[in-house]
Amino acid sequence: MRRIAILAEGAFEWHYGKTATGVIRYGKDPVVAVIDSTKAGQDVSHALGAMLGEGIPVVHDINEALGYQPEALLIGIAPMGGALPEAWRWQILTAIEAGLDIISGLHVFLADDPELHAAAGKRGVTIWDVRRPPAKNRVAQFTPHRPGSHTVLIVGSDCAVGKMTVALELDREARERGLSSVFAATGQTGIMISGNGLPVDRIISDFVAGMVEEMVLDFTGQYDWVFVEGQGALNHPG
Amino acid sequence: MRRIAILAEGAFEWHYGKTATGVIRYGKDPVVAVIDSTKAGQDVSHALGAMLGEGIPVVHDINEALGYQPEALLIGIAPMGGALPEAWRWQILTAIEAGLDIISGLHVFLADDPELHAAAGKRGVTIWDVRRPPAKNRVAQFTPHRPGSHTVLIVGSDCAVGKMTVALELDREARERGLSSVFAATGQTGIMISGNGLPVDRIISDFVAGMVEEMVLDFTGQYDWVFVEGQGALNHPG
């Protein structure tokens, strides 16, 4: 458990801020502040207009967020194309210099950015690029799952329609009923929430099926119910 | 037009040698020899048991192939996983030292291999890694095609069932009928045949749809009929 501040500058709302809202709702780590200067002064539930995150402040910038003693800064929005908006750089550098770990789901890897890499090394903090694909490649082998295990894949007609949320809710309900269940993350927000998973959209397409098969086999070996977050759809630009 | 020798060691037959047979059947460049020591002494039509490649010799190794004055060596099989079998290395090195360009569709990029890279640089020949993805990334933008143009995507239930061949035959027939037509390659063999295209299975999955959209838009701007080679299928391990 570590205290998280979320950077969602200019985008803390349901659609473009889905990483932020997903982590606030389902994450294991407590969120102590959300950075969005356009909604500073509100609390999360007010900013979202929902019963979620009451008492969590929305603040103006990283300097204000540091007042809430965060231990990590999570990049809470994923711009189309996944690059780092340069306007965010100073906030990330400030967080690193204050000793915060960085958690990022951007396509561009912050740990490969010379300035951020050097700053993190100097301060001894880690940069977790959630979307970095595994070093190994693998094609599918059509291996049967463990008999008695159940795998449920959630698919949808577009992005941001709730595939991850449905998988998380089904897993939560199954565990509340005492079943052996797990959520299998395939996107950056799901990986941030569960702490592991596969960044499917960052994997070379030839190896997507094989890498997902390997993850699902690993989970079906350990759990009776595996709820797999789906990715993409016919209406999805990626 | 350049004279091509094809390396298909141990695999010059229809299924595993589909790159070799595709290039012989549809390529613009003349094939002067095929290397497969297990079928050396036959000609292509005899080795394949088909009316294809009569008079093209199957030879024992690169040294014998050099007798037919090739200008390029094309790696004619794509092992599962796409790595370079080490047993082929000396033949590729010998080709480079004899001044041949190298054309490869392997997942591993021969131009990144220090030994092959150095040898090619020293001899001034080029290594074309057909599967190297474009440097740019792009998500789909749902842009309409030029009115009046027709795009046909060939899909199939498995790999090596003839998706590329159907697309090539439709394009050939259309051109014979005087239509403005083009074949849009999405795999390494198709790219070798047409001289351009997109190595879809090597592209990061998030960008596949957008990169294909861009290619198809480019073609529909120029041609009335665009026959797009399909990739993958539910039964395909990739």
Side-chain angles (χ1 to χ4, degrees), chain B residues 167-207:
Chain B
L168 284 163
E169 290 287 347
L170 289 172
D171 169 53
R172 183 151 74 177
E173 178 67 22
R175 283 185 288 108
E176 281 175 7
R177 293 188 187 190
L179 299 173
S180 158
S181 173
V182 72
F183 164 72
T186 60
Q188 64 270 18
T189 304
I191 295 170
M192 288 174 182
I193 289 168
S194 66
N196 59 51
L198 207 57
V200 157
D201 74 355
R202 197 58 165 76
I203 293 178
I204 290 173
S205 67
D206 205 16
F207 302 118

Side-chain angles (χ1 to χ4, degrees), chain A residues 11 15-18 77-85 88 105-108 131 158-160 188 201 235-238, chain B residues 137-142 206-207 210:
Chain A
H15 188 80
Y16 291 104
K18 68 176 183 170
I77 77 172
M80 187 89 78
L84 171 69
W88 299 357
L106 298 175
H107 255 300
V108 62
R131 228 162 174 171
D158 205 345
C159 58
Q188 64 270 19
D201 74 357
N235 289 337
H236 189 294
Chain B
N137 287 328
R138 182 181 189 275
V139 293
Q141 293 165 19
F142 309 108
D206 205 16
F207 302 118

Side-chain angles (χ1 to χ4, degrees), chain B residues 67-172:
Chain B
Y68 298 90
Q69 288 83 45
E71 296 161 283
L73 178 69
L74 185 148
I75 312 301
I77 75 171
M80 187 89 77
L84 172 69
E86 275 304 308
W88 298 358
R89 179 177 290 273
W90 77 268
Q91 304 221 46
I92 298 171
L93 275 170
T94 301
I96 291 172
E97 283 157 15
L100 276 62
D101 292 324
I102 306 295
I103 303 167
S104 168
L106 299 175
H107 255 301
V108 63
F109 297 138
L110 299 188
D112 295 344
D113 180 284
E115 187 178 21
L116 301 178
H117 179 83
K122 191 174 167 189
R123 192 60 174 77
V125 302
T126 62
I127 297 176
W128 180 26
D129 283 306
V130 172
R131 228 163 176 169
R132 191 182 293 276
K136 65 180 294 196
N137 287 328
R138 182 181 189 275
V139 293
Q141 293 165 19
F142 309 108
T143 312
H145 299 171
R146 178 177 61 81
S149 66
H150 309 268
T151 303
V152 182
L153 170 65
I154 290 51
V155 297
S157 56
D158 205 343
C159 57
V161 293
K163 299 183 293 292
M164 179 190 78
T165 303
V166 168
L168 284 163
E169 290 287 347
L170 289 172
D171 169 53
R172 183 151 74 177

Side-chain angles (χ1 to χ4, degrees), chain B residues 206-218:
Chain B
D206 205 16
F207 302 118
V208 167
M211 299 296 286
V212 171
E213 180 189 54
E214 182 177 64
M215 176 176 72
V216 170
L217 282 171
D218 184 38

